[in-house]
Amino acid sequence: MRHRMRRSCPSIKGWWRVTSKLAVSSMRATAIAIIGSIFVGQGYSQRMISSLYFIGDAGKTTIANNGVPELLRRNFIKATPSSFVFLGDNIYPEGMPPVGNPGRAKAENIIHAQLEMVKEFRSPVYFIPGNHDWKKGSRRGLDYVRGEQRYVDSLRNPLVNYLPKEGCPGPSEVQLSGDVVLIIIDSQWFLQQAYDSTGNRNSCSCKRLEDVLIAVQELMKKNAGKRIILAAHHPIYSYGEHGGVFSWRAHVFPLTDINPRLYLPLPIVGSLYPLYRKWIGDPQDLANPLNQRYRVAIEQLLKKYPKTLFVSGHEHALEYVVKDGVSYMVSGSAVNSSYVKRKKYASYASSKNGFARIDVFEDTSLSISYFEVGKNDVAFRVHLPPLSEY
C-alpha cells in the first residue's frame, strides 16, 4: 500500500487531463480465494478482496471501554486485507497542545487509545483532521493540527499515517488493496477561514476551494475503473444536530444538554437555539453559508462521479444517505452520540455508538455495513452494484 499528498495543484488546463492507470495486484487472487465462500450464504456470488473500517470522532480515552473495541473485534474479517480510517476529531476537546502544555500528556494518551484498539489487526491506519483537531477552529488551530500530525509521524510506525499533512487541504491519495483508491481532504481547512486566515495558505499547493476540487477531479480521472472513496470529516448530508434536526426534548427542555437532570420546561426559549442551528448555525453546521459552500462544491463534483462513495464523521451518529445516485456515509459516533432522525434521503440513521465497514468484492461491487454497540448482528447493510452497472 502506498500513499502520497499532491505536491502541486494542477492548473485550470489540468482540469480536463485524463490519466488512466490500471493496476493489477498479483497477490489479489490469494486473498480472494480465502474469503470467497464466506459470503455465498449472504447471497453474494462474488469474492471479497478488501475491507475498510471507518471510525469517526473517537478522540477520548473512553474509547477503550465503551464497547466499540469489542464490537470491532467481533466484526473484523481476518482473511482480507484491511485498512482503518479515523474520520477526524481524534483528540477532544482541542487537539494536540504543544510540548509543555498541561494537556499534552492526555492528548497523547487519546491517540494511543485509538491505536491500541486496532493494534492487534496489524493493518494500515489513517488519521484525518477534524474541527476539534484544529483547536475547535481557533486562531492557533494550525499549530495544533500540525502538532498532532507531527506527533503521529514521530511514532515511526509504518502502518500509521496522518493525512493530509502540514494543515493543508490535500487531496492525499492512498492506493489500497483490490484496486480501491482512498482520497482524503481536510474539510476543516475550508471552514477555518471563519476563525482566521490559517496562516498557511501560501505554503499549501492548493490555496482555494476551487484548487482542491480540480486536484480531486484529476485523481478521479486518473483512477477511472477503480473503486474511489472520498473521505473527509464534515458530512455533505446529515439529519442530526449539525443538520438542524433536534429532538422534542431539546425544544422543551433545552437545559438538559447542560445537565440531564435539568428538566425545566422552556418551550419557546428552548426552540431558539435549534432554529438557529437549522437556519443559520456556525461554520460547523450544514446551514452556515461557509459550510454550504463546501457542501455544494463537493456535491456538484460527486454528481459527475456517482461511482464515488463519500464517507465522513462530525455528526455523532451513524447515517446512510443516497441523493442523486451518490452514496453518503456518516460514521461519527465512536465515543459520542447525539440525536439523529431517519428522514428525507436517509435510509438509515442511528445515535448508537459504533462504526461502518465497506467490503469490496472482485467485481468492484460493495457491501456497506454498520455496527452498533449492543447489537450482535449487523445494524444496517446495503449492497452497491459493480462499476460496470452504473
Side-chain angles (χ1 to χ4, degrees):
M1 296 185 185
R2 61 189 186 277
H3 64 82
R4 66 176 181 271
M5 180 173 66
R6 295 187 65 86
R7 296 299 179 186
S8 61
C9 265
S11 65
I12 297 295
K13 293 180 180 179
W15 181 279
W16 301 108
R17 182 168 57 84
V18 179
T19 304
S20 179
K21 185 178 181 181
L22 300 177
V24 179
S25 171
S26 61
M27 299 299 293
R28 187 173 62 181
T30 302
I32 293 172
I34 293 174
I35 197 64
S37 60
I38 295 177
F39 282 82
V40 172
Q42 297 181 3
Y44 303 138
S45 59
Q46 291 293 322
R47 293 170 290 185
M48 189 191 301
I49 55 177
S50 64
S51 297
L52 293 87
Y53 299 78
F54 293 92
I55 307 168
D57 301 64
K60 294 180 180 179
T61 55
T62 54
I63 190 70
N65 53 24
N66 73 345
V68 171
E70 291 79 7
L71 183 70
L72 182 60
R73 194 172 295 113
R74 289 199 308 269
N75 292 283
F76 180 77
I77 301 176
K78 297 180 180 179
T80 58
S82 300
S83 299
F84 293 88
V85 182
F86 287 98
L87 292 163
D89 285 359
N90 309 307
I91 304 176
Y92 285 106
E94 296 182 340
M96 180 69 75
V99 175
N101 185 291
R104 174 76 181 203
K106 181 180 179 181
E108 292 180 2
N109 288 338
I110 290 172
I111 288 292
H112 286 284
Q114 293 163 83
L115 291 176
E116 187 66 25
M117 178 174 63
V118 299
K119 181 176 67 174
E120 66 183 275
F121 307 120
R122 299 180 181 180
S123 299
V125 177
Y126 300 93
F127 284 98
I128 298 176
N131 54 298
H132 283 270
D133 304 300
W134 279 82
K135 204 175 186 293
K136 295 178 68 175
S138 72
R139 292 184 179 277
R140 294 193 61 195
L142 178 60
D143 294 334
Y144 276 55
V145 76
R146 282 178 172 174
E148 184 176 314
Q149 172 236 307
R150 290 168 184 173
Y151 178 74
V152 171
D153 291 346
S154 74
L155 300 177
R156 299 188 182 279
N157 185 333
L159 291 176
V160 180
N161 307 274
Y162 195 102
L163 298 170
K165 295 188 179 298
E166 296 302 322
C168 290
S172 296
E173 177 188 12
V174 182
Q175 297 284 344
L176 301 174
S177 302
D179 288 345
V180 179
V181 179
L182 178 66
I183 299 175
I184 299 171
I185 58 175
D186 183 350
S187 53
Q188 178 60 24
W189 185 88
F190 304 121
L191 308 179
Q192 190 72 12
Q193 59 186 285
Y195 308 97
D196 64 80
S197 62
T198 74
N200 75 326
R201 292 185 184 274
N202 290 332
S203 63
C204 295
S205 56
C206 292
K207 298 176 174 58
R208 304 172 303 153
L209 172 60
E210 292 78 11
D211 298 332
V212 180
L213 295 176
I214 291 171
V216 171
Q217 176 157 316
E218 195 169 88
L219 287 178
M220 289 179 173
K221 290 179 179 179
K222 169 190 170 184
N223 290 288
K226 299 181 181 181
R227 266 296 180 184
I228 300 175
I229 300 172
L230 179 60
H233 178 65
H234 294 83
I236 306 304
Y237 285 95
S238 176
Y239 301 108
E241 294 183 358
H242 285 296
V245 181
F246 288 79
S247 67
W248 66 268
R249 190 181 72 172
H251 288 267
V252 180
F253 302 103
L255 298 181
T256 56
D257 286 341
I258 302 173
N259 187 329
R261 298 181 179 180
L262 290 177
Y263 274 93
L264 177 64
L266 298 169
I268 298 177
V269 176
S271 294
L272 295 179
Y273 181 65
L275 290 175
Y276 165 77
R277 297 281 299 274
K278 180 177 181 179
W279 298 110
I280 302 174
D282 72 10
Q284 300 305 321
D285 294 327
L286 273 60
N288 184 271
L290 195 60
N291 196 301
Q292 283 192 33
R293 182 172 180 265
Y294 152 75
R295 291 173 50 235
V296 169
I298 297 297
E299 183 180 26
Q300 292 301 315
L301 176 62
L302 293 177
K303 284 182 179 179
K304 300 177 182 178
Y305 300 90
K307 303 176 184 179
T308 304
L309 188 65
F310 185 87
V311 187
S312 64
H314 194 52
E315 196 73 75
H316 297 156
L318 302 170
E319 300 178 79
Y320 181 74
V321 175
V322 179
K323 175 72 163 54
D324 295 327
V326 180
S327 296
Y328 300 92
M329 296 173 59
V330 176
S331 178
S333 62
V335 295
N336 295 321
S337 63
S338 58
Y339 181 79
V340 67
K341 187 174 183 179
R342 186 166 66 88
K343 57 184 295 187
K344 296 188 75 172
Y345 306 109
S347 52
Y348 165 75
S350 172
S351 60
K352 300 291 186 179
N353 292 128
F355 66 92
R357 188 185 76 205
I358 299 177
D359 300 319
V360 185
F361 293 84
E362 185 181 24
D363 66 347
T364 70
S365 63
L366 301 178
S367 177
I368 300 171
S369 303
Y370 289 83
F371 302 91
E372 302 175 5
V373 172
K375 285 190 176 182
N376 293 326
D377 299 325
V378 175
F380 177 80
R381 175 176 285 150
V382 62
H383 191 68
L384 299 187
L387 296 176
S388 60
E389 295 186 15
Y390 280 81

